[in-house]
Amino acid sequence: MSQLEALRWIAQTFEESPERITAETSRDRIPAWDSLGVLTLMAGLDQDFGVLLSDAELRPMASVGDILNVLQAHGKISA
Amino acid sequence: MRFILVDDILDLDPGKQIRGLKRIGIDEDYFRDHFPGFPVVPGVLLTEMMAQLAGKCLDAENPSRGRSMLAAIESAKFRHWVNPGEVAIIEATILVSRPQFAKAKCQVHVGEKLVATSELFFSFVPVSQFAPGFRDPVLERYYESRQQPSGQTPL
């Protein structure tokens, strides 16, 4: 998956328009990234990428870039 | 008004599958308004039946995880009216069950007729947030019925 595809996936997860989402977009700019959003993200990572993160790993995330880093760390984004 | 929308559990495989029923009374209070002269079970109540039953399947799997709570209705479809006096047979299959969340695919039949389907997303609330000693009466009754010689829950 390319970074662009990952950004689209993140936008879809949070029901955002892809144009609004970049690596720099902070969590507070994404209304659906709330407590349910954390669970939705967790479920999406599990279902779509086989990446199961703990609550503790997900909650400190502060930007879209942090999600991209997780995907990269698990080898889901091609360099 | 009580909000127990599953009367009995018929089969239970904790964390995997569950089947239960709800007998729709002929004089449920909501029929007065939904709708005058055309009483049908509201779709939100059919969804709640599916959520309650799927939740019991999850709670039976791992009570220490917390009580399951409906967090999102990913999809819900209502295909036929459900009328006063009918018996809704509810089924749920757990698609994903993790420590923090779960997903279930559910359906409701009346007789041979598929009347509703849904995919539901659950989170979990710590047991400590509930009243001390709280127990699920429907699950309890199911477990008690399994200990009886017949092992059957009557329809």
Side-chain angles (χ1 to χ4, degrees), chain A residues 6-8 10 18 29 33 38 48 78:
Chain A
L7 286 169
R8 285 194 191 125
I10 293 166
R29 305 283 298 168
W33 195 346
V38 170
D48 296 343
S78 48

Side-chain angles (χ1 to χ4, degrees), chain B residues 5-65:
Chain B
L5 293 175
V6 174
D7 288 338
D8 288 305
I9 295 169
L10 302 172
D11 307 296
L12 170 62
D13 186 353
K16 292 181 180 164
Q17 282 192 310
I18 188 167
R19 201 164 63 93
L21 69 82
K22 171 67 180 166
R23 300 173 192 87
I24 312 297
I26 57 169
D27 54 357
E28 303 280 0
D29 204 33
Y30 53 77
F31 287 142
R32 292 170 60 193
D33 304 303
H34 195 281
F35 297 95
F38 183 66
V40 292
V41 178
V44 290
L45 293 187
L46 293 172
T47 307
E48 179 65 22
M49 284 175 204
M50 294 186 267
Q52 288 191 11
L53 189 74
K56 292 176 195 318
C57 190
L58 293 165
D59 294 346
E61 178 190 21
N62 180 7
S64 64
R65 173 170 56 181

